Short mmCIF file of all heavy atoms in Angstrom, two decimals:
data_model
loop_
_atom_site.label_atom_id
_atom_site.label_comp_id
_atom_site.label_asym_id
_atom_site.label_seq_id
_atom_site.Cartn_x
_atom_site.Cartn_y
_atom_site.Cartn_z
N VAL A 24 -11.29 -4.81 -8.54
CA VAL A 24 -11.77 -5.88 -9.40
C VAL A 24 -11.85 -7.15 -8.58
O VAL A 24 -10.89 -7.57 -7.93
CB VAL A 24 -10.82 -6.08 -10.61
CG1 VAL A 24 -11.31 -7.23 -11.48
CG2 VAL A 24 -10.71 -4.79 -11.41
N GLU A 25 -13.04 -7.77 -8.58
CA GLU A 25 -13.28 -9.03 -7.86
C GLU A 25 -13.94 -10.00 -8.83
O GLU A 25 -15.16 -10.08 -8.91
CB GLU A 25 -14.17 -8.79 -6.64
CG GLU A 25 -13.55 -7.86 -5.61
CD GLU A 25 -14.42 -7.65 -4.38
OE1 GLU A 25 -15.57 -8.13 -4.35
OE2 GLU A 25 -13.94 -6.99 -3.45
N GLY A 26 -13.11 -10.70 -9.58
CA GLY A 26 -13.64 -11.62 -10.60
C GLY A 26 -14.30 -10.81 -11.70
O GLY A 26 -13.67 -9.94 -12.30
N ASN A 27 -15.59 -11.08 -11.96
CA ASN A 27 -16.31 -10.33 -13.00
C ASN A 27 -17.11 -9.17 -12.41
O ASN A 27 -17.98 -8.62 -13.07
CB ASN A 27 -17.22 -11.27 -13.80
CG ASN A 27 -18.32 -11.88 -12.95
OD1 ASN A 27 -18.22 -11.94 -11.73
ND2 ASN A 27 -19.36 -12.36 -13.60
N LEU A 28 -16.83 -8.81 -11.15
CA LEU A 28 -17.50 -7.69 -10.49
C LEU A 28 -16.48 -6.64 -10.06
O LEU A 28 -15.29 -6.94 -9.97
CB LEU A 28 -18.26 -8.18 -9.25
CG LEU A 28 -19.31 -9.27 -9.47
CD1 LEU A 28 -19.86 -9.74 -8.13
CD2 LEU A 28 -20.43 -8.76 -10.37
N VAL A 29 -16.96 -5.44 -9.78
CA VAL A 29 -16.10 -4.40 -9.19
C VAL A 29 -16.77 -3.84 -7.95
O VAL A 29 -17.97 -3.58 -7.93
CB VAL A 29 -15.75 -3.26 -10.18
CG1 VAL A 29 -14.94 -3.79 -11.35
CG2 VAL A 29 -16.96 -2.53 -10.68
N ARG A 30 -15.98 -3.72 -6.89
CA ARG A 30 -16.43 -3.13 -5.64
C ARG A 30 -15.98 -1.68 -5.65
O ARG A 30 -14.87 -1.36 -6.07
CB ARG A 30 -15.84 -3.88 -4.46
CG ARG A 30 -16.43 -3.49 -3.13
CD ARG A 30 -15.92 -4.40 -2.01
NE ARG A 30 -16.18 -5.81 -2.27
CZ ARG A 30 -17.29 -6.45 -1.90
NH1 ARG A 30 -18.25 -5.81 -1.26
NH2 ARG A 30 -17.45 -7.73 -2.17
N VAL A 31 -16.83 -0.77 -5.17
CA VAL A 31 -16.56 0.67 -5.23
C VAL A 31 -16.72 1.27 -3.84
O VAL A 31 -17.62 0.91 -3.09
CB VAL A 31 -17.54 1.36 -6.20
CG1 VAL A 31 -17.26 2.85 -6.29
CG2 VAL A 31 -17.49 0.72 -7.58
N GLY A 32 -15.83 2.21 -3.52
CA GLY A 32 -15.92 2.94 -2.27
C GLY A 32 -15.29 4.31 -2.41
O GLY A 32 -14.89 4.71 -3.50
N MET A 33 -15.19 5.03 -1.31
CA MET A 33 -14.59 6.36 -1.29
C MET A 33 -13.18 6.24 -0.73
O MET A 33 -12.97 5.57 0.28
CB MET A 33 -15.43 7.31 -0.43
CG MET A 33 -14.91 8.72 -0.42
SD MET A 33 -16.05 9.91 0.34
CE MET A 33 -16.08 9.37 2.03
N ASN A 34 -12.21 6.94 -1.35
CA ASN A 34 -10.83 6.79 -0.93
C ASN A 34 -10.52 7.46 0.40
O ASN A 34 -11.31 8.23 0.95
CB ASN A 34 -9.86 7.21 -2.04
CG ASN A 34 -9.78 8.71 -2.26
OD1 ASN A 34 -10.11 9.52 -1.41
ND2 ASN A 34 -9.32 9.08 -3.45
N ASP A 35 -9.33 7.16 0.93
CA ASP A 35 -8.90 7.63 2.24
C ASP A 35 -8.81 9.16 2.30
O ASP A 35 -9.22 9.77 3.28
CB ASP A 35 -7.53 7.01 2.56
CG ASP A 35 -7.06 7.30 3.97
OD1 ASP A 35 -7.87 7.20 4.91
OD2 ASP A 35 -5.87 7.61 4.13
N PHE A 36 -8.30 9.78 1.25
CA PHE A 36 -8.18 11.24 1.22
C PHE A 36 -9.55 11.90 1.39
O PHE A 36 -9.73 12.79 2.21
CB PHE A 36 -7.54 11.68 -0.10
CG PHE A 36 -7.49 13.17 -0.27
CD1 PHE A 36 -6.53 13.92 0.40
CD2 PHE A 36 -8.39 13.83 -1.08
CE1 PHE A 36 -6.47 15.30 0.25
CE2 PHE A 36 -8.35 15.21 -1.23
CZ PHE A 36 -7.38 15.94 -0.57
N ALA A 37 -10.53 11.43 0.64
CA ALA A 37 -11.87 12.03 0.68
C ALA A 37 -12.53 11.84 2.04
O ALA A 37 -13.14 12.76 2.58
CB ALA A 37 -12.75 11.47 -0.42
N GLN A 38 -12.41 10.64 2.61
CA GLN A 38 -13.07 10.41 3.90
C GLN A 38 -12.42 11.24 5.00
O GLN A 38 -13.09 11.72 5.90
CB GLN A 38 -13.16 8.92 4.25
CG GLN A 38 -11.88 8.22 4.60
CD GLN A 38 -11.45 8.38 6.05
OE1 GLN A 38 -12.21 8.78 6.92
NE2 GLN A 38 -10.18 8.09 6.31
N LYS A 39 -11.10 11.45 4.93
CA LYS A 39 -10.44 12.29 5.94
C LYS A 39 -10.82 13.76 5.77
O LYS A 39 -11.03 14.47 6.75
CB LYS A 39 -8.93 12.11 5.87
CG LYS A 39 -8.46 10.80 6.48
CD LYS A 39 -6.96 10.63 6.39
CE LYS A 39 -6.54 9.33 7.06
NZ LYS A 39 -5.14 8.99 6.77
N LEU A 40 -10.91 14.21 4.52
CA LEU A 40 -11.29 15.59 4.25
C LEU A 40 -12.74 15.84 4.68
O LEU A 40 -13.06 16.90 5.20
CB LEU A 40 -11.14 15.88 2.75
CG LEU A 40 -10.83 17.30 2.35
CD1 LEU A 40 -9.52 17.77 2.95
CD2 LEU A 40 -10.75 17.40 0.83
N ALA A 41 -13.61 14.85 4.50
CA ALA A 41 -15.02 14.98 4.85
C ALA A 41 -15.25 15.07 6.35
O ALA A 41 -16.17 15.75 6.80
CB ALA A 41 -15.81 13.80 4.29
N GLY A 42 -14.42 14.39 7.11
CA GLY A 42 -14.68 14.30 8.55
C GLY A 42 -15.65 13.16 8.83
O GLY A 42 -15.84 12.28 7.98
N ASP A 43 -16.26 13.18 9.99
CA ASP A 43 -17.14 12.08 10.39
C ASP A 43 -18.39 12.03 9.52
O ASP A 43 -19.26 12.90 9.61
CB ASP A 43 -17.54 12.22 11.87
CG ASP A 43 -16.35 12.05 12.79
OD1 ASP A 43 -15.39 11.36 12.41
OD2 ASP A 43 -16.39 12.63 13.89
N ILE A 44 -18.48 11.00 8.70
CA ILE A 44 -19.62 10.85 7.79
C ILE A 44 -20.84 10.43 8.61
O ILE A 44 -20.79 9.49 9.38
CB ILE A 44 -19.28 9.87 6.66
CG1 ILE A 44 -18.15 10.48 5.82
CG2 ILE A 44 -20.51 9.56 5.81
CD1 ILE A 44 -17.54 9.57 4.80
#
Side-chain angles (χ1 to χ4, degrees):
V24 178
E25 298 181 354
N27 64 340
L28 302 174
V29 296
R30 190 173 303 271
V31 181
M33 183 170 65
N34 73 21
D35 187 44
F36 175 78
Q38 70 83 16
K39 284 179 178 169
L40 209 60
D43 294 333
I44 295 171

